[in-house]
């Protein structure tokens, strides 16, 4: 009898412990579910917030572009008025001082080799990101270099694609022959500062303007005094970070000078430690997020040995998707 009582109590205790264990499992499952739901909610919230910020930024850029265009038109009207005055003054002078027609034609032909800023350039650049048309702008930063730039140029030539090179003034000075090849093969040359040193570039507005102007001077030495880039990429991007305030000031000043800034919406990650073609292609796919108009960031300097082949694979992939490749001569011409 006593053994039956002990057996009964033991069985009862076992059932109690089983229910307790089941209860603890339920609590764990509920806690995990709550964590998953909360994490998903946070991810959705942050994604929506980032999308909203991107939309607001796009709208702001469009408004800035419209204002810049209006200012440009006012300047053009003023220039026309001044030109008319000059013409009236010239017409009252000696007719023998007029330029020989053949000589003027030669001058105009020479000028057409170089880009000339259009009033609506900034607006057109902003529109790239919202294009429904499949257009890709391949951009290469920080060069030119003697080891990576030639390989990148070989790939672009083989694939029949024109790209844009955001060059550093100090590297143009060191490798002028590579810049000349970039230009001769029809790629667009844009400005990316002289040193790429944040502490120096963003020390003041004057410091960045000096870097910009020094780079322009080095470019002109190679491809001609008539070439103006009109296009600038801020090292580290045009907004955000500890230098965001001065970047905003500089952007406004550059705009007043007819210089547009450009960021990117897709990248290979070759400057983030992605060393292999596979890793860079994955980064490219992850970063483009279904965008149709693409500005792709890569680099043509240093240890970016995978970049030329990555560029080739990106080109082949986008061609298969029906993309058209462009550079900025269509906007600045």
């Amino acid at each position: 009898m006593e053994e039956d009582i002990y057996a009964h109590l033991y069985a009862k205790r076992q059932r109690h412990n089983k229910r307790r264990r089941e209860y603890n499992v339920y609590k764990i499952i509920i806690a995990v579910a709550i964590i998953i739901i909360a994490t998903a909610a946070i991810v959705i919230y942050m994604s929506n917030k980032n999308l909203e910020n991107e939309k607001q930024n796009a709208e702001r850029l469009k408004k800035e572009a419209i204002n810049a265009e209006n200012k440009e038109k006012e300047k053009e009207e003023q220039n026309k008025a001044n030109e008319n005055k000059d013409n009236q003054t010239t017409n009252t002078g000696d007719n023998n001082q007029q330029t020989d027609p053949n000589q003027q034609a030669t001058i105009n032909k020479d000028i057409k080799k170089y880009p000339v800023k259009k009033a609506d350039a900034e607006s057109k650049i902003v529109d790239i990101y919202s294009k429904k048309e499949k257009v890709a702008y391949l951009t290469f930063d920080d060069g030119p270099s003697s080891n990576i730039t030639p390989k990148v140029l070989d790939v672009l030539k083989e694939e029949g694609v024109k790209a844009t090179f955001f060059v550093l003034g100090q590297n143009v000075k060191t490798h002028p022959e590579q810049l000349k090849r970039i230009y001769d093969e029809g790629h667009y040359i844009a400005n990316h500062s002289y040193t790429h040193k944040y502490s120096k570039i963003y020390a003041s507005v004057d410091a960045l303007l000096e870097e910009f102007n020094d780079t322009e001077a080095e470019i002109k030495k190679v491809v001609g005094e008539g070439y103006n880039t009109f296009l600038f990429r801020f090292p580290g991007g045009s907004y955000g970070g500890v230098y965001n305030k001065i970047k905003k000031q500089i952007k406004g000043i550059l705009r007043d000078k007819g210089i547009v800034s450009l960021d990117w919406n897709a990248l290979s990650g070759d400057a983030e430690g992605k060393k292999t073609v596979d890793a860079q292609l994955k980064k490219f796919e992850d970063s483009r997020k279904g965008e149709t108009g693409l500005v792709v960031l890569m680099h043509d300097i240093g240890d970016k040995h995978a970049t030329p082949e990555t560029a080739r694979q990106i080109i082949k992939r986008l061609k298969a998707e029906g993309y058209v490749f462009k550079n900025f001569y269509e906007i600045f011409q």
Side-chain angles (χ1 to χ4, degrees):
M1 182 70 176
E2 186 176 350
E3 290 179 356
D4 291 342
I5 293 173
Y6 281 122
H8 175 73
L9 291 174
Y10 178 76
K12 185 177 181 180
R13 184 174 181 182
Q14 288 293 97
R15 288 194 298 273
H16 175 74
N17 289 339
K18 182 180 180 181
R19 285 195 296 271
R20 188 172 181 180
R21 286 194 300 271
E22 290 175 348
Y23 176 70
N24 289 336
V25 170
Y26 292 148
K27 285 201 301 183
I28 292 171
I29 292 173
I30 291 170
V32 170
I34 291 172
I35 292 172
I36 292 173
I37 293 170
T39 303
I42 291 171
V43 170
I44 293 170
Y45 171 76
M46 293 302 297
S47 297
N48 291 336
K49 187 174 181 182
N50 289 336
L51 181 61
E52 183 179 349
N53 288 338
E54 288 177 1
K55 288 181 179 179
Q56 290 177 353
N57 189 47
E59 289 297 325
R60 178 180 59 79
L61 289 173
K62 285 184 179 179
K63 289 179 181 178
E64 291 177 353
I66 291 171
N67 291 334
E69 183 177 351
N70 291 336
K71 287 182 180 180
E72 191 70 27
K73 287 180 179 178
E74 290 177 4
K75 289 179 181 179
E76 286 181 358
E77 291 175 359
Q78 184 62 44
N79 289 336
K80 286 181 180 178
N82 293 336
E83 185 179 345
N84 290 335
K85 289 181 181 179
D86 292 340
N87 288 339
Q88 291 174 0
T89 303
T90 303
N91 290 337
T92 59
D94 186 358
N95 290 333
N96 293 329
Q97 297 297 319
Q98 294 179 356
T99 304
D100 181 276
N102 294 329
Q103 181 183 359
Q104 186 62 52
T106 302
I107 293 171
N108 290 341
K109 183 179 179 181
D110 187 57
I111 289 173
K112 287 180 181 178
K113 292 194 301 184
Y114 306 106
V116 179
K117 185 182 183 307
K118 289 185 175 181
D120 59 348
E122 185 169 30
S123 177
K124 287 188 175 184
I125 284 178
V126 171
D127 287 344
I128 291 172
Y129 301 103
S130 59
K131 277 185 177 293
K132 301 299 181 185
E133 177 189 1
K134 291 184 176 181
V135 179
Y137 293 79
L138 301 184
T139 67
F140 297 88
D141 283 14
D142 297 353
S145 67
S146 60
N147 60 335
I148 307 299
T149 302
K151 295 177 183 177
V152 169
L153 289 171
D154 288 344
V155 169
L156 295 173
K157 188 173 183 179
E158 290 165 11
E159 296 296 333
V161 169
K162 303 302 181 187
T164 299
F165 289 78
F166 286 87
V167 300
L168 299 179
Q170 63 184 10
N171 291 335
V172 172
K173 186 174 183 178
T174 306
H175 305 290
E177 73 288 350
Q178 297 303 330
L179 189 80
K180 185 65 165 58
R181 183 182 170 189
I182 291 171
Y183 178 73
D184 288 343
E185 295 185 5
H187 305 291
Y188 194 90
I189 298 169
N191 195 311
H192 193 41
S193 81
Y194 193 88
T195 64
H196 205 284
K197 293 181 179 178
Y198 292 7
S199 59
K200 182 176 181 180
I201 297 168
Y202 300 126
S204 66
V205 172
D206 288 341
L208 187 136
L209 290 177
E210 182 179 356
E211 289 250 340
F212 180 90
N213 291 331
D214 287 348
T215 300
E216 291 288 293
E218 292 298 333
I219 293 170
K220 290 175 186 292
K221 288 178 185 177
V222 179
V223 301
E225 287 296 322
Y227 191 94
N228 298 287
T229 65
F230 295 122
L231 189 60
F232 181 71
R233 175 168 283 168
F234 285 78
S238 67
Y239 62 92
V242 296
Y243 300 106
N244 189 51
K245 184 176 180 180
I246 195 162
K247 286 179 182 179
K248 287 183 178 179
Q249 297 176 13
I250 293 166
K251 191 185 295 184
I253 291 172
L254 291 177
R255 185 182 298 113
D256 290 340
K257 295 178 178 294
I259 300 159
V260 184
S261 61
L262 178 76
D263 289 317
W264 56 90
N265 61 354
L267 67 160
S268 68
D270 58 2
E272 302 173 4
K274 309 293 184 187
K275 300 294 185 183
T276 67
V277 174
D278 288 342
Q280 291 178 10
L281 288 175
K282 184 178 186 306
K283 179 67 176 182
F284 167 70
E285 291 296 344
D286 292 342
S287 64
R288 65 165 165 159
K289 299 176 182 176
E291 297 285 350
T292 306
L294 296 176
V295 179
V296 185
L297 170 64
M298 291 176 277
H299 297 76
D300 63 317
I301 192 172
D303 61 350
K304 314 300 186 294
H305 300 291
T307 296
E309 183 58 28
T310 298
R312 187 193 303 278
Q313 295 304 319
I314 288 175
I315 291 169
K316 288 184 178 298
R317 188 169 296 187
L318 293 180
K319 280 182 176 179
E321 294 176 16
Y323 270 82
V324 174
F325 294 89
K326 295 183 178 181
N327 62 23
F328 292 94
Y329 280 117
E330 294 193 1
I331 295 176
F332 301 101
Q333 59 181 350

